[in-house]
Structures are given as C-alpha cells and as structure tokens.
Amino acid sequence: MAKTLYDKLWAAHVIDNRSDGSDLLFVDRHYVHDACFQGFDFLHEANLQIRRPDLTFGMEDHYIATRPASVQSERVLQLGGILKQNAERHGFTSYGAGTDYQGIVHVVGPELGLSLPGSLVVCGDSHTATHGAFGCLAFGVGASEIAHVLGTQAIWQKKSKSMRIRVDGSLTDGVVAKDLILHVIGLIGARGGTGHVIEYAGSTIEGLSVEARMTICNMSIEAGAKAGMIAPDQRIFDYLRSRRYAPEGDLFDQAVVQWMALRSDEIAVFNREVEIRAKEVEPTITWGTSPETSLGVSGYVPKLEELDADLRAKYLPMMEYMGLDSGMRLQDLKVDQVFIGSCTNSRIEDLRIAASIARKGKARVPTLVVPGSVQVQQQAQAEGLDQIFIEAGFEWAKPGCSMCVAMNGDSVAGGKRCVSTSNRNFMGRQGKGSRTHLASPLTAAATALTGRITDVRQWL
C-alpha cells in the first residue's frame, strides 16, 4: 500500500498501541527549554529520573534577556537557573546563558545537527513543527507529556489525518518563505490544518533553502496543523554534514542512503490536498489578530459593509483592537516599532536579507534585531551584518526569543503598532494591548526605513 511520508515516520516509531486508537511512539530527540520547568516538577513529584538523558537537550531561550535594557522579574531570572539545575541533576546537556550554543531551541537544534531526517522530535513548544523541515515528525507537547517523555522516552499519540500543500513555480521579487506561509494560512485559514499533519511539496518548496523550509514548517501550527514536514533532499544532507551531533564519515553516508527513502510514495493518497501557484504570492502581511488575516502588502483592510454577518462579527473586534478603519489601505498605516527575530525569522539567511534592505537607509522607528543563536550572532558579526544594522539605526541584541513572547523584558507597549517577523499576532502576544503585524524580514526592514507598512519591492 502506498504511504505518505507521515505514514512512514509514524510506523517507524510505534512501540505499542491501545484500544482507544492511541500508539506509543519512541521519541528520538527531546528538547527542553527554560519554560519547560513544570514537566520536571511532575517528574520529580513521581520520584522518577530521566529515562534517556543522552537524547534530551536543554536550551535557554524564552526568558533570557537579550539586551541591557531588558527588565525582568525575579521569577524570570530564576528560570534559566532551574533548567541548569535540572540538567545537572539528571545529566543531560543544556546550553544556557554564556555557552557557545545558547539560543532559540528551534534554531539551535538544527544548527547542531540534532534534528535528523526520520526522527521523532518533541519539545514543550508548539513551534517544534520547525524541525519538520528536515523530514522529521516534530510537534509540541504539554507539561504532563514532557514529564512522560522524560520518564519513558516515549509518548502516546493518536494519528492525525494527512494534508499535502503543493506550491509550484518561482516566487517573484521581494517574496520569501514568510510571505508564502502567511499566504497559505490566509488561504486555508487558521483552522485549515486542524487534525492534520501537513506535508509541503512542489517545485517551489524544493527550491527553498533549508532556512526557508524551517520558516514554512514553523508556522504550520498557525494553520492549525499538528506538524509540518518536507521530504529531505540533498540540500538537507549538505546542511547536516559535519554538524556537531550529525553522524560522521561512513555513518553519515549510510544515513543518507536511508534518508533518501523518506518521501511520500508517488500514488500515496492524502486526506486533503491544496495547490498554490507561487507567482500569485505578494509580499504578505497580517492586518488583524490572527495569522489568517494576511493580505498582499498592496491590499486593504476588509470593508465591513461587504462582509456577511458572521465575518463582520469576527472582524469588527479585530479592527477595534488593531486601531483600523474599515477598507483602509495597509500601506497608510504608521508603525511605532519593528522586530526582526524569533524562531520563525532569526537565522543567518533572515538577517542577510534584512540587512540587504537596512543598508539602503536609516530607521525612522525603533527597530530591534535579535539573532536566533550565538552561532547566528557570531556569523552575522563575521559578515558585518551587525554593523549594517547599527549604522542604519537598528538595535542589535543578544540571542533569544525576545519580543516574540514578551516574557523576557522585551515587549511592545499597549496601543503601539509593531511589524514583527515572529509567528503570532494574538491580542497581547507582544505585550498587553500591543498591535502586531506579521511580515517577512524584507518587509520588516523596509518598514523600519519608512515608519509605515511598506512594499519592499520599492526598495529592491
């Protein structure tokens, strides 16, 4: 019987099953960050030890300060220490403040070669979907599931349905992976992937860089999906070769032979299929408080009088919260600040394309650039990207989740409008009363130079 990539990964990890339809799956890699402390609390209450500390890796990201101006509570300051204490108690490797590999778990895991094709990866963070870019089955888990994985190296799950999103053709100038995934979510809706695991395929996806594929898979959760994945190919194998934790020498070559088989069979049937033509995607940005409220940057806020009653009831509170008028042009919106970073867009490629725009002008609004890891920070500095940002009036910070989550001292003030390369624009996501517009690093950098939502194609 023909199988999807998801079918193959699932079947390869089943240990046991039970009458309610759940399967017990072996976990190849368990990431824990500084917000996973409750999982350890549950483990300790049960008086258990970690089953496989060699497959458990800690990274300090959500609560870590990224700049001297960050103001953190005493409790926040304690959380990095708690992760370190748990690492010492249970004997797993953890990259905290001051270490060479500190950074966002979804940036550091791949760059260390920890996320390998065919693996099942979990973490107490919904954006674990990012690792699907390597042909992994990767998804976020809750605190009780973290404890279960810590104690058993396995997790009970019910299998999701499968969805394939095919994107074919060439992206146009100024359009990058972030625009594409915002377009996808706008098309299928924030609940469009609910109950599914999405496989992204087609010539456009195959042509994307590894970093761009991570951006795509990262926001699968914003489409409501359990996970996102892309079949691994030579570009992935080349990225992984010589990474710190990847297999070495002949073992790597042997692994590649196995990884090449990780793709959906030609005649595999998906529960749902969506097809998109890449040339139809504009630089894309959100106007409301859901990622599905995405529009081409040349677009207009919906006109309430043209909507049916259900959409009016849905959109009116969003417009009021975001301070928007019905039917207004997106590019007429002034912004108060810009954030470039987060697990969606803080990799070296993201910083390179942002710098390509930043070098053309001076920031008119406060703009914060936060690399995703120490490795990204060092690479960017070696290439002189930090100086380009600084000379343009952007602020260059240390690695961390920063202004994506507003729990580390970096936030957007109430009523202020921020164009952000992060993944969520819920009410209050970047701080109480904050107004967030999700966009690509290109659009964010161009907006920083004008102080209003900007079509980056004018700056190319």
Side-chain angles (χ1 to χ4, degrees), residues 225-257:
K226 176 76 172 179
M229 60 177 60
I230 297 172
D233 59 11
Q234 191 61 46
R235 192 165 291 184
I236 292 292
F237 309 149
D238 291 343
Y239 175 95
L240 289 173
R241 187 180 292 275
S242 301
R243 298 277 170 178
R244 184 180 180 89
Y245 288 98
E248 298 179 350
D250 291 344
L251 289 176
F252 187 88
D253 294 332
Q254 293 169 22
V256 168
V257 172

Side-chain angles (χ1 to χ4, degrees), residues 326-347:
S326 169
M328 71 183 301
R329 196 173 80 114
L330 286 173
Q331 291 182 57
D332 288 336
L333 274 175
K334 293 183 179 179
V335 305
D336 299 293
Q337 59 196 96
V338 171
F339 169 58
I340 299 173
S342 86
C343 60
T344 314
N345 285 125
S346 64
R347 299 176 181 83

Side-chain angles (χ1 to χ4, degrees), residues 19-161:
S19 58
D20 67 353
S22 298
D23 289 332
L24 183 65
L25 306 175
F26 180 77
V27 174
D28 296 293
R29 200 71 75 202
H30 186 195
Y31 297 126
V32 289
H33 54 61
D34 47 6
C36 293
F37 55 91
Q38 287 182 318
F40 286 95
D41 291 344
F42 291 155
L43 186 80
H44 299 154
E45 289 170 6
N47 197 28
L48 294 173
Q49 296 295 313
I50 291 183
R51 173 69 172 170
R52 293 292 301 270
D54 58 320
L55 302 182
T56 306
F57 289 85
M59 289 137 196
E60 194 175 350
D61 55 8
H62 280 61
Y63 292 100
I64 199 164
T66 65
R67 52 185 179 160
S70 301
V71 179
Q72 298 175 292
S73 68
E74 285 298 319
R75 175 57 176 165
V76 165
L77 292 171
Q78 293 173 356
L79 292 175
I82 291 174
L83 178 61
K84 183 179 180 181
Q85 291 166 15
N86 281 317
E88 292 172 349
R89 175 175 177 176
H90 294 282
F92 65 87
T93 300
S94 185
Y95 297 110
T99 62
D100 290 342
Y101 298 102
Q102 180 269 322
I104 304 173
V105 61
H106 309 310
V107 177
V108 176
E111 73 183 12
L112 285 175
L114 285 166
S115 301
L116 298 173
S119 300
L120 195 157
V121 177
V122 300
C123 175
D125 186 302
S126 57
H127 292 100
T128 307
T130 308
H131 308 267
F134 293 85
C136 303
L137 174 55
F139 51 85
V141 294
S144 60
E145 291 176 312
I146 292 171
H148 191 282
V149 176
L150 289 172
T152 67
Q153 202 57 33
I155 187 168
W156 286 102
Q157 293 283 291
K158 288 186 178 179
K159 194 175 180 186
S160 301
K161 295 180 180 178

Side-chain angles (χ1 to χ4, degrees), residues 146-347:
I146 292 171
H148 191 282
V149 176
L150 289 172
T152 67
Q153 202 57 33
I155 187 168
W156 286 102
Q157 293 283 291
K158 288 186 178 179
K159 194 175 180 186
S160 301
K161 295 180 180 178
S162 60
M163 176 188 292
R164 179 164 58 187
I165 296 179
R166 289 192 58 91
V167 190
D168 287 298
S170 299
L171 295 170
T172 57
D173 290 345
V175 177
V176 293
K178 182 62 168 292
D179 303 295
L180 178 56
I181 190 62
L182 286 174
H183 179 85
V184 167
I185 298 169
L187 183 67
I188 69 173
R191 295 181 180 179
T194 301
H196 293 76
V197 164
I198 298 175
E199 180 178 343
Y200 300 93
S203 62
T204 309
I205 300 297
E206 293 167 2
L208 294 178
S209 68
V210 175
E211 288 86 352
R213 296 180 194 189
M214 285 191 261
T215 298
I216 296 289
C217 290
N218 174 276
M219 291 193 68
S220 300
I221 194 71
E222 272 68 46
K226 176 76 172 179
M229 60 177 60
I230 297 172
D233 59 11
Q234 191 61 46
R235 192 165 291 184
I236 292 292
F237 309 149
D238 291 343
Y239 175 95
L240 289 173
R241 187 180 292 275
S242 301
R243 298 277 170 178
R244 184 180 180 89
Y245 288 98
E248 298 179 350
D250 291 344
L251 289 176
F252 187 88
D253 294 332
Q254 293 169 22
V256 168
V257 172
Q258 297 182 8
W259 294 342
M260 290 176 70
L262 295 174
R263 54 188 56 252
S264 294
D265 295 330
E266 286 291 330
I267 57 173
V269 176
F270 291 78
N271 296 105
R272 186 181 176 193
E273 297 244 23
V274 176
E275 295 188 0
I276 294 170
R277 289 187 291 182
K279 67 180 182 181
E280 296 178 351
V281 183
E282 273 193 89
T284 303
I285 191 166
T286 60
W287 63 264
T289 56
S290 164
E292 72 179 9
T293 60
S294 64
L295 285 175
V297 70
S298 60
Y300 293 76
V301 175
K303 293 182 179 179
L304 287 173
E305 64 272 22
E306 296 178 356
L307 304 177
D308 62 34
D310 288 343
L311 273 183
R312 277 201 303 274
K314 181 178 180 178
Y315 285 173
L316 182 57
M318 290 188 186
M319 291 182 188
E320 291 176 345
Y321 180 85
M322 293 295 289
L324 304 175
D325 295 327
S326 169
M328 71 183 301
R329 196 173 80 114
L330 286 173
Q331 291 182 57
D332 288 336
L333 274 175
K334 293 183 179 179
V335 305
D336 299 293
Q337 59 196 96
V338 171
F339 169 58
I340 299 173
S342 86
C343 60
T344 314
N345 285 125
S346 64
R347 299 176 181 83

